[in-house]
Amino acid sequence: MSWRGFKRLFTLDTGRPDLDAEVDRELEFHFASSVADLMAEGLDETAARAEAERRFGSATRTRAGLIQIDHHREDRVRRIERLEALLHDLRLALRSLARQPGFVLTVAVTLGLGIGANATMVGLVDRLVFRAPAHVTDADQVVQLSLTQVHPTFGSFTNTGVAWPDYVLAQRTAGFSATAAFYTGRLTLGRGLEAQRVNVTMASAGFFPLLGVRPLIGRFYSEEEDRIGAGTPVAVLGERFWRRQFGADRAVLGSSIRLGSNLFTVIGVAPRGFTGIELNAVDVWIPVGSGAVEMLGPNTDWSTTRNWEWVRVLARFRPGARPEASEAALTTSYRGEIASDPDRNQNSTFN
């Protein structure tokens, strides 16, 4: 795989969410939910709001406490993740040094020169040289598709987010043995004061088989459970989240967790260290068929329109397939579909 292909495949998210704003949104959400529940029980709006305020107690004190808890939890998780990554990298580097001291010295010099110039590039080099994607089989045959559009005034730009119909086109491309779609965001786990924001990846059922990943316990969801518009609300937990939230209890299989407004049945746990193709830990994996309502909203236009470029697409090449030929075939199919659409860029290419 080319370096350009590696850059497309791996991303580094260094942003930290605004915890204070998230806490405010969560408090507003749960207060409104409590008012709605009380009104459903027969109270008028004024009485329902008064009772909800009584149950919530001091909003200022509750807000401050939740913010403090969130800050402490995220800081603790980050310290643990950094320490584990450092130890893992150190072990691999020492083994490599014993086998190829000249090569490791070259890498060390490269990292040293790059640290001051480009922190993101250092992250990419670290991921690819020291840590192959955890549990991914034959990673050099997997690419993330992107769409490059050429504008006569603004030039070209490349977007790794594509429309769902473009994912459907990729599924029909002969050079790919498998394709999968995914979208990463955050959802609320639980309700009330126990609620917390968690990292959720909504992925098509083909995501895990494409990467060659096997569950630690339980199973991954099926194509039948991932039907658009008729999906089954099931969930696969990240291994670290499973240990932190459930004490690594295998009895979690079959239990329900609330994500957003819906209950999802836990059917499996991903293997340790598996984060897909990204660097950030994933707490929960859910199917597109049942997760889209929570992640994208109740409107299903996302599955038919090209005006919403949101989903990221992975593809695995067939043995012997030429990447350039596969890209050309997908580009030809794409241009054929948009030929009659004056709002679409006819010069777009997949790569």
Side-chain angles (χ1 to χ4, degrees), residues 163-198:
W164 188 263
D166 300 332
Y167 165 56
V168 175
L169 276 182
Q171 290 178 301
R172 300 200 296 261
T173 300
F176 301 142
S177 63
T179 55
F182 72 102
Y183 173 82
T184 299
R186 304 195 86 199
L187 286 176
T188 301
L189 174 73
R191 301 186 67 175
L193 297 180
E194 299 298 320
Q196 59 179 298
R197 296 286 278 181
V198 294

Side-chain angles (χ1 to χ4, degrees), residues 211-277:
L211 296 178
V213 180
R214 295 185 178 183
L216 179 65
I217 62 171
R219 63 179 180 87
F220 296 135
Y221 42 85
S222 65
E223 296 284 353
E224 181 66 19
E225 292 169 316
D226 190 35
R227 288 185 300 160
I228 303 302
T232 305
V234 292
V236 174
L237 305 181
E239 188 270 347
R240 179 171 292 160
F241 176 75
W242 171 57
R243 292 186 180 278
R244 185 176 72 243
Q245 191 75 18
F246 299 98
D249 185 359
R250 291 174 173 262
V252 71
L253 298 179
S255 66
S256 296
I257 58 174
R258 180 176 291 277
L259 288 171
S261 61
N262 202 2
L263 290 175
F264 288 75
T265 301
V266 177
I267 61 171
V269 174
R272 184 176 185 180
F274 176 68
T275 61
I277 66 165

Side-chain angles (χ1 to χ4, degrees), residues 8 14-15 45 58 65 91 119 135 157 181 231 233-234 272 276 280 288 293:
R8 288 207 308 266
T14 59
E45 182 176 357
S58 170
R91 286 193 296 267
H135 305 282
F157 60 94
V234 292
R272 184 176 185 180
N280 288 343
V288 178
V293 172

